[in-house]
Amino acid sequence: TQLLEQSPQFLSIQEGENLTVYCNSSSVFSSLQWYRQEPGEGPVLLVTVVTGGEVKKLKRLTFQFGDARKDSSLHITAAQPGDTGLYLCAGTGNQFYFGTGTSLTVIP
Amino acid sequence: NAGVMQNPRHLVRRRGQEARLRCSPMKGHSHVYWYRQLPEEGLKFMVYLQKENIIDESGMPKERFSAEFPKEGPSILRIQQVVRGDSAAYFCASSPHRPSSYNEQFFGPGTRLTVL
């Protein structure tokens, strides 16, 4: 059973466009993290959100943790080719669970 | 401060051979996690270890797979009698604390295992 479902699974957009990636679960998590993974490399931590309703901004990236701490979203403004990669959410519950991943391609 | 190190980066084995994957956590980190990833998929948890202890191996196949994190030296993920289905990227991560609300894991570059 996959606890964290991400959507969309694949996303291909033009440079300059905005996009939102979703991470949903029926389970409550004490914290949730977003990672970005480039081909051939390990995931790199982008942000940790802990409080329900929390919003964190990292330059052009905005992360939101749902009020009930069951879901999260990642919004990217004015996407750039360097944003291309696999975006993974991960939640801390009894264990550490990774989402199914969203593969983003930004076309120059 | 060196990050998590894994070796080898690429490993090719024939069916029936053994694969040994090594992971050296970040300095000061005593918690190690192993994950498996298939192409275009997320990471699947395998095992969580502390020094000399296996804390959670619920994601590890019951046969052929084993992991250790000795008092001295790297953590080892061992796959005996490999089969083609074992081909995947195996990632190691480390953290300084027990899993908690603030747990953050730092990942190594992975070992890509190919079974011929």
Side-chain angles (χ1 to χ4, degrees), chain A residues 66-100:
Chain A
D67 291 341
R69 290 185 289 133
K70 292 182 179 181
D71 53 82
S72 181
S73 64
L74 158 60
H75 182 78
I76 301 179
T77 304
Q80 299 176 0
D83 296 327
T84 293
L86 180 67
Y87 287 82
L88 296 161
C89 63
T92 301
N94 294 329
Q95 290 183 359
F96 196 67
Y97 302 95
F98 271 91
T100 48

Side-chain angles (χ1 to χ4, degrees), chain A:
Chain A
T1 301
Q2 184 58 260
L3 289 184
L4 284 164
E5 295 286 341
Q6 288 186 240
S7 60
Q9 186 177 0
F10 297 97
L11 186 58
S12 182
I13 62 170
Q14 295 289 334
E15 182 177 359
E17 292 183 350
N18 301 333
L19 67 114
T20 302
V21 175
Y22 299 93
C23 174
N24 295 301
S25 176
S26 57
S27 302
V28 175
F29 293 98
S30 55
S31 68
L32 195 139
Q33 288 145 3
W34 284 92
Y35 291 81
R36 182 168 134 247
Q37 183 181 21
E38 296 188 16
E41 299 296 330
V44 175
L45 179 67
L46 296 174
V47 77
T48 299
V49 286
V50 178
T51 307
E54 182 177 2
V55 176
K56 279 192 175 178
K57 291 195 173 186
L58 189 67
K59 295 184 180 178
R60 294 177 295 101
L61 278 59
T62 302
F63 305 86
Q64 185 163 6
F65 200 12
D67 291 341
R69 290 185 289 133
K70 292 182 179 181
D71 53 82
S72 181
S73 64
L74 158 60
H75 182 78
I76 301 179
T77 304
Q80 299 176 0
D83 296 327
T84 293
L86 180 67
Y87 287 82
L88 296 161
C89 63
T92 301
N94 294 329
Q95 290 183 359
F96 196 67
Y97 302 95
F98 271 91
T100 48
T102 294
S103 180
L104 171 65
T105 302
V106 181
I107 303 166

Side-chain angles (χ1 to χ4, degrees), chain B residues 14-76:
Chain B
R14 296 192 180 279
R15 281 180 297 169
Q17 292 184 319
E18 179 179 287
R20 281 188 178 231
L21 288 62
R22 295 175 185 78
C23 169
S24 296
M26 286 182 69
K27 188 176 180 180
H29 288 193
S30 58
H31 301 260
V32 166
Y33 314 81
W34 284 94
Y35 295 86
R36 169 189 160 115
Q37 185 179 39
L38 294 172
E40 300 295 336
E41 291 189 7
L43 281 76
K44 299 287 192 294
F45 168 79
M46 298 181 73
V47 62
Y48 160 41
L49 310 102
Q50 285 181 266
K51 285 283 187 180
E52 301 183 278
N53 287 303
I54 297 175
I55 307 301
D56 182 351
E57 57 182 347
S58 58
M60 194 100 97
K62 293 290 187 286
E63 297 178 351
R64 303 188 297 108
F65 285 72
S66 63
E68 62 178 9
F69 189 15
K71 187 177 181 181
E72 301 291 336
S75 175
I76 307 284

Side-chain angles (χ1 to χ4, degrees), chain B residues 89-108:
Chain B
Y90 292 84
F91 288 95
C92 167
S94 72
S95 68
H97 308 296
R98 292 180 64 84
S100 69
S101 295
Y102 299 94
N103 183 57
E104 294 179 349
Q105 298 184 13
F106 297 86
F107 283 81

